[in-house]
Amino acid sequence: MRHRTTTGPLPDLRHPADGPRLLVPDLVMTPDGLREGYAAVVDGAAFRAVGPAAVLEREHPLLPPVRLPGHLLMPGFVDAHHHLTQSFGSALAFGEPSEIFRRVWVPLEGALDEESAYAAAKLSALEALRGGFTTVAEAGTRAPVDAGAVAAATEDAGIRCVLGLVCNDVPDPAGAGGTDEAAAVLAAAEKHLARYQGAELVHPSLALSVPEAATARTLRDTARLAAEAGTVVQIHVNEHLAAVERSLVRHGLRPLEYLREVGALGPQLLAAHATLVTPAELTLLADAGAAVSYNPVASAWKGNAVAPAATMAERGIRLGLGTDGTRGDAFRLADAAEFAQRLAYGLATGDSSCGAGWSWLERGGPGGADAVGLAASTGRIAAGAAADFLLVDVGGPELRTSRDLPWELVRRGNRDQITAVFVAGRLRMWRGRAVGWDDLAFLDRAAELADAVVARAGVTRAHPTSTAARAASALR
């Protein structure tokens, strides 16, 4: 069955609404599936009502319907794993061997100051909004600046952010942290959680680079603090073979097994990557109620394994999709999520659907919201939920004749089809441009800062850039 769409002029939504809005698109993606003839009332930062358009128009006679022909109203995507202050070095990671954080990300973020950290984070937030993300989970910056710089950047851009504070207390993974370091880290963690309690767009969380970057006490206590605060602890887990082997040598346990051993494995854990997991570790994740950020583009770009995401979902493991700062295009991320499963697992087993289109939209939206600890507030089009949503043009040649729109959105959707992005009921992007601030002037300044940061960072690459490699080959 083909979903019907209409044609006609689209009203300009850039003018702030004076009171609630009754939005009437051709299609609404509800928690129960796609619905034709539905509408939504947006009142302030949340949805007041969602249901059949005829009913809502009758119940709200003073609200003039805002008709949105040819458009789908759907939840904004959730990026379950990001590094916002790494945007200046995105291209430096192309074609590099895995475990690049020591050679690229640590020196790059170490070269940031307050202004450049703010600009790098805002640049990431702008790209994410353009790509259809309304929430990003920031895994904690290594920049020598206050986390408030990142918070300010995301607030000013207008994106929702689960803001991680790095709680490492073992500077050298080969060493051991002391009591003083652990006490200071935990005090900072408590302060961070209290600082953003009740903020509209910034949701505090805790973060650890990898299990080996923290003492057993800190792993256990950050888990406790996060659980008590109703938030998450973000940890890169079982991502690289070298890290798994270091854990085995040091503890006789794989990283996830070690987290269970010290009391840090539970519903508060947001495990980033989890690409190298055994069947027993899948059981650990499922039994603990932990969440995983499946980051397929990062796996491809950095040469990691591909997480068995379809198996995780089948086992009931909470699962979101993350960019890991690779590219901020939500539809391309959903496509990569399915495509990576197909190549890594589906072809070998004859699985021709690898979860089907709807499952990847679920993981990118409500599943991601659940993974980052925001299931109660965002990720769905429903009364009472935060009005974090997209208006997607489904009247173009890629989608107009679709008979399975979820699959088409995964396979053929892209950021160019996103007409509008709303976060907390406010229009943040309109036809690819920021609303309420000068994004072009900002991009000019960000480019200047990026050049200066990269020049002083001392990044070490194993391979030349593609431009340099081509020039070198031309001389041979």
Side-chain angles (χ1 to χ4, degrees):
M1 176 180 176
R2 182 165 69 84
H3 295 285
R4 304 297 171 179
T5 57
T6 59
T7 58
L10 190 71
D12 190 336
L13 302 180
R14 285 175 293 180
H15 305 294
D18 184 15
R21 270 178 169 159
L22 173 56
L23 302 179
V24 188
D26 284 346
L27 298 165
V28 176
M29 186 176 289
T30 75
D32 297 321
L34 286 169
R35 294 290 183 267
E36 295 182 29
Y38 262 49
V41 176
V42 177
D43 190 359
F47 290 108
R48 180 196 295 180
V50 177
V55 173
L56 294 189
E57 289 180 39
R58 187 168 59 251
E59 292 177 347
H60 300 85
L62 299 181
L63 295 183
V66 180
R67 305 203 183 276
L68 305 166
H71 278 73
L72 161 71
L73 191 155
M74 66 176 289
F77 286 86
V78 175
D79 185 343
H81 184 62
H82 206 315
H83 293 276
L84 295 172
T85 57
Q86 293 180 359
S87 59
F88 290 170
S90 295
L92 298 175
F94 292 163
E96 288 292 287
S98 62
E99 274 211 313
I100 60 173
F101 68 94
R102 288 190 178 91
R103 297 182 291 106
V104 177
W105 300 129
V106 170
L108 182 81
E109 289 184 301
L112 296 171
D113 56 18
E114 197 82 14
E115 182 187 10
S116 55
Y118 169 90
K122 193 172 184 180
L123 182 63
S124 291
L126 175 61
E127 182 186 357
L129 285 166
R130 274 172 47 84
F133 293 103
T134 53
T135 299
V136 292
E138 157 58 24
T141 183
R142 298 181 183 90
V145 301
D146 186 82
V150 177
T154 58
E155 288 178 310
D156 292 347
I159 199 167
R160 194 176 298 280
C161 178
V162 177
L163 180 61
L165 178 74
V166 174
C167 297
N168 300 349
D169 64 340
V170 180
D172 180 358
T179 303
D180 293 342
E181 291 94 334
V185 161
L186 292 173
E190 290 179 315
K191 183 178 179 181
H192 178 73
L193 293 174
R195 178 181 184 182
Y196 294 104
Q197 184 178 17
E200 182 184 32
L201 294 182
V202 178
H203 306 268
S205 75
L206 305 179
L208 297 154
S209 299
V210 287
E212 61 195 285
T215 58
R217 173 191 172 185
T218 295
L219 289 168
R220 181 179 61 254
D221 287 352
T222 51
R224 173 183 56 80
L225 288 174
E228 292 172 352
T231 188
V232 297
V233 179
Q234 305 179 55
I235 311 179
H236 297 77
V237 175
N238 291 53
E239 181 185 6
H240 300 293
L241 182 59
V244 173
E245 292 177 342
R246 283 196 298 268
S247 182
L248 285 167
V249 170
R250 185 171 182 181
H251 304 295
L253 298 166
R254 294 168 66 87
L256 277 168
E257 295 170 335
Y258 178 63
L259 290 179
R260 192 269 306 270
E261 179 79 9
V262 301
L265 183 61
Q268 80 291 332
L269 175 65
L270 173 53
H273 300 288
T275 55
L276 301 168
V277 286
T278 64
E281 286 173 306
L282 290 175
T283 298
L284 289 180
L285 287 168
D287 289 350
V292 171
S293 175
Y294 167 41
N295 311 319
V297 181
S299 289
W301 286 12
K302 294 191 295 183
N304 297 329
V306 175
T311 299
M312 290 176 176
E314 183 65 25
R315 295 283 295 272
I317 296 170
R318 298 159 53 221
L319 189 68
L321 305 182
T323 65
D324 198 21
T326 50
R327 63 182 179 220
D329 189 318
F331 286 120
R332 291 188 72 187
L333 177 64
D335 182 31
E338 185 272 333
F339 195 53
Q341 290 300 293
R342 183 177 298 275
L343 290 179
Y345 305 104
L347 293 181
T349 60
D351 183 354
S352 57
S353 67
C354 290
W358 64 267
S359 63
W360 301 112
L361 297 180
E362 287 278 332
R363 306 303 168 191
D370 177 45
V372 304
L374 297 182
S377 56
T378 191
R380 66 192 191 282
I381 309 300
D388 300 346
F389 65 95
L390 313 177
L391 294 177
V392 179
D393 184 351
V394 293
E398 298 86 1
L399 302 173
R400 181 64 185 272
T401 62
S402 173
R403 284 169 170 76
D404 190 341
L405 189 56
W407 256 131
E408 297 280 14
L409 289 169
V410 169
R411 289 288 183 80
R412 292 163 66 82
N414 65 75
R415 76 173 80 198
D416 295 340
Q417 294 152 356
I418 300 172
T419 299
V421 180
F422 284 78
V423 180
R426 290 180 53 193
L427 180 65
R428 311 293 181 163
M429 300 291 298
W430 178 253
R431 300 192 185 280
R433 293 289 309 280
V435 174
W437 55 285
D438 190 343
D439 52 353
L440 297 183
F442 164 74
L443 288 172
D444 288 341
R445 178 57 180 157
E448 294 174 358
L449 292 168
D451 288 343
V453 167
V454 172
R456 66 174 179 261
V459 169
T460 302
R461 285 176 53 89
H463 301 296
T465 65
S466 60
T467 302
R470 183 181 184 186
S473 65
L475 296 175
R476 290 201 290 266

